Amino acid sequence: IENLFFVFEMMQTKNELLIKNLITEQEIGFMVSIDLGRMDKIRRMNSNVNDITDLRKTVKYIMEQYIYAGSEYSVNISSFTRLGILNAYNELEGGGKLVVEMEMIDVESEESTTNIDDDIDFMDEQNLELMKRYIIIFDKAMEEIINLLKTD
């Protein structure tokens, strides 16, 4: 049953990102066709994804519930896939927090022509790129689980 819960959680998150136009169909990765109405009925409380912070919380929850060895609902995936997910997650988290390098500018210099809107656009683009990377780290696990469910 943990395998189904994992697939449902992932599909809810991916569908929400698509509906809110945060990710395109080309960027979303592996998808499974599941009735959205049925998925919404079993949705976890406070699991909405509106930005990178929400997505990181959701990914962390999925890691803790389904991926970490010994987790309560550890899914049935190969150790190779589990290790790949752990490595991808740790790389994205940068050892527990995201590290963003920003160019330093001299505020008093005349060369400093960066305006706040440009900075916001840059951060939005960076966050969208991060969202694209986070959402696909579980794709191999989803594929393995779907193949496993087809053979049972």
Side-chain angles (χ1 to χ4, degrees), residues 2-3 6 66 73-79 82 141 144-146 148 152:
E2 61 276 351
N3 291 331
F6 169 74
Y66 304 107
Y73 300 105
S74 183
V75 291
N76 188 4
I77 56 176
S78 69
S79 58
R82 193 176 307 277
E144 280 187 25
I145 289 169
I146 295 301
L148 180 68
D152 283 349

Side-chain angles (χ1 to χ4, degrees), residues 25-84:
E25 287 186 30
Q26 293 76 29
E27 299 163 335
I28 202 72
F30 185 79
M31 292 287 286
V32 179
S33 178
I34 300 175
D35 178 36
L36 291 176
R38 181 165 294 164
M39 278 196 302
D40 284 341
K41 289 179 184 174
I42 58 170
R43 189 169 186 92
R44 178 173 46 92
M45 296 293 290
N46 300 319
S47 63
N48 291 332
V49 178
N50 297 304
D51 55 26
I52 188 65
T53 302
D54 292 341
L55 182 58
R56 286 182 67 212
K57 286 178 188 173
T58 296
V59 168
K60 182 180 182 200
Y61 173 84
I62 290 169
M63 293 293 293
E64 292 170 349
Q65 290 295 306
Y66 304 107
I67 303 301
Y68 289 137
S71 60
E72 186 174 357
Y73 300 105
S74 183
V75 291
N76 188 4
I77 56 176
S78 69
S79 58
F80 180 78
T81 298
R82 193 176 307 277
L83 182 61

Side-chain angles (χ1 to χ4, degrees), residues 8-19:
F8 280 165
E9 294 250 19
M10 286 306 307
M11 294 317 304
Q12 286 172 338
T13 302
K14 286 185 174 212
N15 278 310
E16 187 169 4
L17 291 172
L18 284 171
I19 289 167

